[in-house]
Structures are given as structure tokens and as C-alpha cells.
Amino acid sequence: KLSVIDPLIEPHEGNEAVQEYDLKQKRRLEEDRKVAEKRADSQQRVNAIGDIKISTPTSSSNRIMNIHVHLLNSLGRYQGMVGSVFKSLRFIKMIVTWEES
């Protein structure tokens, strides 16, 4: 049985540890707040940069060099067809000009 005269915990026992813990918590929260402010500031700068319209001026002389993507896609497809035809022709040539050594 516990008595009031002989308590298990002394008065102010662990008070220093609690104060140290509270101080560490305050420091950590202050550091976290500073980091959050830095991130918010950085994000605002990035957003401001992202809002700037980036464009390249074009002139009428550059229109000659303007090749549309669909045209390049078609040319690529035709290049593939011609390539397969020539591959077949090379194979036929190898058979026709077969030389035994």
C-alpha cells in the first residue's frame, strides 16, 4: 500500500528533462517555421517566373523553313516503305549473283 508520506515520485522529479524537451520542441518548431517560410518564398519566386510569357518572335522569312510535323511523319512512313523495298532487292541481288567459293 502506498502512503502519502512515501511517494514513488519525488516533487519536481524529471522537471529538468521536461523543460529540456519543451525547449527542443520550441527550437524544432521555430526551425520548421523558417523552412516553411523559405519554401513558400521560393515557390512564390518560381510562380512569378512561370507567369512570364516566353515566346520567340518569328518573321516571314522563317516561314520557308517551317515544316509541319504531319509532313515529317508522312515522309518517315514513306522512307520505311522504300527501305523495305531496297532490302528485298538487295536480298534478290545476293541470290542472283551467288558465287560459290
Side-chain angles (χ1 to χ4, degrees):
K1 222 176 185 186
L2 297 176
S3 67
V4 177
I5 299 171
D6 188 25
L8 292 174
I9 300 174
E10 296 292 324
H12 305 290
E13 182 180 341
N15 189 30
E16 293 171 2
V18 169
Q19 288 177 352
E20 185 178 323
Y21 175 78
D22 287 342
L23 184 62
K24 285 181 181 178
Q25 280 293 99
K26 285 180 185 177
R27 286 181 186 156
R28 186 183 67 80
L29 290 173
E30 183 64 27
E31 287 177 14
D32 288 349
R33 186 186 59 78
K34 287 179 183 177
V35 168
E37 286 176 359
K38 269 187 183 178
R39 285 184 182 164
D41 185 43
S42 297
Q43 188 63 42
Q44 282 179 341
R45 280 193 246 139
V46 167
N47 289 342
I49 291 170
D51 289 341
I52 298 172
K53 184 178 179 181
I54 300 173
S55 64
T56 305
T58 58
S59 66
S60 60
S61 63
N62 288 341
R63 292 182 187 205
I64 296 170
M65 297 300 293
N66 193 7
I67 300 174
H68 295 285
V69 176
H70 64 84
L71 177 63
L72 292 175
N73 191 18
S74 298
L75 289 175
R77 187 173 44 241
Y78 294 131
Q79 182 182 9
M81 289 182 216
V82 170
S84 62
V85 168
F86 278 101
K87 189 175 183 181
S88 301
L89 289 175
R90 272 191 231 111
F91 182 73
I92 292 171
K93 178 188 169 201
M94 286 182 353
I95 293 175
V96 170
T97 60
W98 186 281
E99 294 180 11
E100 283 194 38
S101 53

